Every structure is written in structure tokens, then in C-alpha cells.
Amino acid sequence: MERRHRQRERPLGIVVQKYGGSSVATAEHIKAVAGKIQRARKAGLDLVVVASAMGKTTDRLLRLAGEVSSDPSPREIDQLLATGEEQSVALLAMALHDRGVPAVSLTGPQAGMRATGRYGSGVISEIRPGRIRRLLGEGRVVIVAGFQGMNALGDVMTLGRGGSDTTAVALAAALGADRCEIYTDVDGVYTADPRIVPGARRIPVISYAEMSEMAWRGAKVMHPRAVELGALYGVEIHVLSSFDEESPGTIITGGEKVEHLETRETVAGIVHDTDVARITLNGVRTGPGTLSKVFTPLAERGISVDVIVESGIKEGVADIAFTVSRADFAEARSAAGKVARALGGSVEGEEGLAKVSVVGTGMLNRPGYAARMFSALGSEGIPIRMVSTSEIQVTCVIPAERVQEAVRRLHRDFELEEREDV
Ligand code: ADP
Ligand code: ASP
Ligand code: MG
């Protein structure tokens, strides 16, 4: 009885939809999104919608902060940035009201999103979905501000750039939604950024593992933490275009749904990231515990380190190089400088770098990918500064100004161009 009742109330279950900045860039865009939501609702879905800030609002607010202060407080930056998504959800609710759709907008804190960690890179610690559930029960479309949650102090925190994807997938997990739809300005995940490689192909289905690696390596189309949450809670993610309703997009799902034949394509895609700086500690005394002395102070400051290379080890002295994002460069350089001097060495830094990666679970246990990558970059005359490899990716650090050439060349050499057989 109870079951039948619930089925009648929610014949098709809950779907979480997320609309990115370019999808809500102007009043016209917001009205178009309202139309899409109305159509989905007519199809019988219970909808929770997550929206990003309009267009480049977050960038504009960050610039403003830099104009009024040389060192704006991270707490105040989050207070400011959170207003971006708050604007779009309120506007979207109004546009839905105009269409006669009962909708209500909520900030992250109002929606029960709890966060912890550092301002500017908060992580979702808990979701209390009671209010959302009640509103859905009343037949409303619930619109939640992405990229934000409330910390233990009652302050709003943002989740790191691109974090609205993570809000959406986390909500889908907490609500037991059927799927999470990510609407953006491209119609899916491609074998390389389609803005750089015109011949890139849309990937119809991709595993969480491959998508996670692509996202961590810089494929901006999905926030990496969103993919990890999807994998953890089994939320199927559909990446779709806000503008092209015909395209089936990309489904991100468990490995069992992705073809496992040995002959399947081994490389999923070529990914790049231009937010890279390198720091080198030259001539430092090395021995057991040295790496911990270098990296513990960085971890304590919440700085993520990526590619790490220790080289030139001779008579107890070595060079240690690693990469960080540009935002962390100054702080990481100063922290590493102190350690370098204490160990009898010096520090040096280089900005203007990029990473380019070849990613694919099919590379597992098949040798030769790194060599193929080096030879492709070599024949293009692109210098390789650092290398890191794992079972499912090879990454080279190169000068940022060569990154587009590198991506195009690798896309061609790894035979990812448009083909007939897919
Ligand atoms: P949104 O504002 O909707 O969150 P983003 O700008 O964060 O959108 O992400 C979409 C962008 O990701 C695309 O415009 C595209 O340029 C970029 N992108 C990078 N790599 C890829 C890829 N492999 N496939 C698709 N898009 C990619
Ligand atoms: N508005 C935020 C950003 O620009 C979050 C997001 O769009 O996902 O990074
Ligand atoms: Mg995004």
C-alpha cells in the first residue's frame, strides 16, 4: 500500500540537473533553462536543479576582490563568491514562476549542504536533505545554489572552482536520485577539449575511473570530486548540452557497463592543464625523511602537489622538483625555500608551464605508451620538463605556450581522430 502510494507520487523518481555558468549566462539563457526544466517536469520527474553563477561572474567577483584589497581574506572571498550562485538560483526560480511552475530557490546552507576544510576549497561533509525532500513532496522544483555549503561556524564556504558539479552529484547521492544530468556548453566528454582539437570525438560511455583521471588531469568539463562521488555512491552522470537537445551526450558509469574486450580502445583521451607551476629545490642534503621535510609543510598549508621528481642524487645531495597550481605558487615557493636553505640548498621556481596527459584504462599493463608520447612531442620539437606515469596515464610537463600543439599532435598520433567505426 505504502509502496503504491509512493510510486504514484513519484512515478519516475528524482533527477538532479546542473546548469553551468554558460547555460545561465543571461536572462535569455535563464528563461531557456526554465523551459527545459518545465518540459522535464511535464515528463513526470521530480527535479532538483543546481545552478552555477551566471557566465563569468565568479571571475569578475574575484577581480573585484583584488581591486579593493591586496590580500583579501579567504572568508570574505567566500562570502562574496557565494553571491554569484545565489543570484542565478533566485532568477531561475522567478523564471519558472512565470511559466506557472512551482519552484523554490535555496542557498547551499538552506539546502542542508555542510562543508568543512579551507575557505575556497571546502569539501562537503554532510547533506541534510530534509527540507529538499519536504519541498519535493509539495510538488515543487527545488533549485540549489552550487559550489557552496555551511561550515561548523555557520559561515558559507565555496568548494573550489568548478565545484557546482560536485554539489549536484552529492545531492543526487543523498537523495537517491536516478541520475545526475550535467548541462554544459559542449554535448559531452570528448577525446580532447573540442575547443582545441576540432576533430575530437564525443565519448558515448566512459567509466568513472577514466573520467576521474581525465578530470584530475585537467579536463574541465567535469569537476574531479564530482566524478569520485559518482563512483563512490553509484550515481550515473550524464553530461549533456544545454543548447543541443538532440545529442545523447556522455554517460559516466561503472566499468561493467563499458566494453571490456581486449581490443577496445586503449586511450580514452588527451587532457591538458595550463594551471601549472614548478618549484625546484637544488642541491639539498638528502636521505631518509628528506621528502617528508619538504612536503609536510606544504600539506599543512593545504597545498596539493602533483608531479614529483628527485634527481641527480650524488654523495647525499639531490635536486627535488614538484608542481603546484599557480594560485599556490608563491606560498609553496616560500615554504620550500625555507626547507631548501635548512638542507644546504636553494630554491627556484618556474610559472608558465602546462601538463599534457594521455589517459586510458586500456593502457594498463601495455608498455610503450610513454615512449610513443615522448616521440610525438619530440618530433614536434616540444621540450619535456618532467614526467609522471601510472597504470592509466602518462603526463608530461611542457611549456604552456606549446600546449595546444602538443594536444593536437598527441590526438593525431594516438589515432583518436573522427572515425567511421564508432
Ligand atoms: P560549465 O560552466 O558548464 O561548468 P565548464 O567550462 O566548466 O562548463 O566545462 C565545459 C568546458 O570544458 C568546455 O567548454 C570545454 O572547452 C572544456 N573541456 C575540456 N576538456 C574537455 C573534454 N575532454 N571534453 C569536453 N569538454 C572539455
Ligand atoms: N561558479 C563557480 C566557478 O566558476 C562554480 C562552478 O561554476 O561550478 O568556478
Ligand atoms: Mg564546470
Side-chain angles (χ1 to χ4, degrees), residues 92-136:
L92 188 50
M94 294 174 199
L96 282 162
H97 295 164
D98 257 38
R99 292 175 168 267
V101 178
V104 58
S105 71
L106 300 174
T107 65
Q110 285 172 331
M113 309 290 304
R114 301 296 165 100
T116 181
R118 292 199 305 166
Y119 291 108
S121 57
V123 292
I124 299 169
S125 52
E126 191 191 347
I127 298 180
R128 300 186 182 177
R131 187 161 178 193
I132 296 182
R133 283 197 191 284
R134 269 197 309 282
L135 291 164
L136 288 176

Side-chain angles (χ1 to χ4, degrees), residues 388-405:
S388 103
T389 64
S390 76
E391 296 93 332
I392 67 166
Q393 58 82 31
V394 185
T395 295
C396 292
V397 177
I398 62 171
E401 70 271 13
R402 308 296 302 273
V403 74
Q404 300 208 356
E405 278 168 85

Side-chain angles (χ1 to χ4, degrees), residues 276-280 322-324 326 329 333 348-353 385-386 397-400:
V276 182
R278 179 176 62 113
I279 291 167
T280 311
F322 58 91
T323 60
V324 292
R326 288 183 199 192
F329 179 66
R333 185 186 164 128
E348 179 201 336
E350 183 179 11
E351 288 182 277
L353 293 173
R385 296 284 166 74
M386 297 164 92
V397 177
I398 62 171

Side-chain angles (χ1 to χ4, degrees), residues 30-295:
I30 290 176
K31 287 198 264 183
V33 167
K36 280 175 79 75
I37 294 171
Q38 184 178 32
R39 286 193 291 281
R41 195 164 172 275
K42 278 202 185 122
L45 297 171
D46 267 358
L47 286 179
V48 174
V49 176
V50 172
S52 293
M54 295 170 70
K56 303 259 177 242
T57 300
T58 309
D59 292 327
R60 184 173 51 76
L61 293 173
L62 274 173
R63 258 198 320 276
L64 262 176
E67 283 169 23
V68 297
S69 164
S70 57
D71 185 20
S73 129
R75 177 187 181 275
E76 301 308 331
I77 291 185
D78 273 6
Q79 291 275 106
L80 178 69
L81 295 190
T83 65
E85 325 326 87
E86 288 162 16
Q87 292 174 9
S88 20
V89 292
L91 291 166
L92 188 50
M94 294 174 199
L96 282 162
H97 295 164
D98 257 38
R99 292 175 168 267
V101 178
V104 58
S105 71
L106 300 174
T107 65
Q110 285 172 331
M113 309 290 304
R114 301 296 165 100
T116 181
R118 292 199 305 166
Y119 291 108
S121 57
V123 292
I124 299 169
S125 52
E126 191 191 347
I127 298 180
R128 300 186 182 177
R131 187 161 178 193
I132 296 182
R133 283 197 191 284
R134 269 197 309 282
L135 291 164
L136 288 176
E138 291 167 12
R140 293 177 206 264
V141 174
V142 184
I143 309 181
V144 179
F147 174 59
Q148 55 180 256
M150 186 177 82
N151 69 11
L153 298 172
D155 284 342
V156 69
M157 285 187 110
T158 64
L159 307 181
R161 297 306 304 270
S164 295
D165 297 336
T166 297
T167 303
V169 177
L171 274 171
L175 295 165
D178 292 359
R179 60 180 185 278
C180 181
E181 299 175 346
I182 303 285
Y183 288 93
T184 184
D185 57 0
V186 282
D187 70 331
V189 179
Y190 277 70
T191 49
D193 186 341
R195 295 188 198 289
I196 292 187
V197 183
R201 281 183 300 129
R202 182 175 52 80
I203 305 173
V205 185
I206 188 169
S207 67
Y208 294 118
E210 277 178 330
M211 189 63 235
S212 174
E213 196 67 37
M214 284 181 73
W216 280 114
R217 300 275 143 209
K220 199 169 142 233
V221 62
M222 279 299 302
H223 196 236
R225 279 159 42 204
V227 185
E228 289 203 339
L229 281 181
L232 200 59
Y233 292 96
V235 177
E236 198 162 277
I237 303 170
H238 295 205
V239 181
L240 296 157
S241 164
S242 280
F243 310 108
D244 171 5
E245 303 215 343
E246 299 303 309
S247 171
T250 294
I251 297 176
I252 306 169
T253 185
E256 68 281 0
K257 296 208 182 138
V258 183
E259 211 188 330
H260 263 311
L261 297 175
E262 287 240 76
T263 49
R264 82 180 184 86
E265 287 165 54
T266 48
V267 171
I270 310 296
V271 181
H272 71 284
D273 182 356
T274 50
D275 181 15
V276 182
R278 179 176 62 113
I279 291 167
T280 311
L281 293 81
N282 287 314
V284 291
R285 278 192 304 279
T286 184
T290 306
L291 289 178
S292 144
K293 283 191 192 118
V294 174
F295 294 111

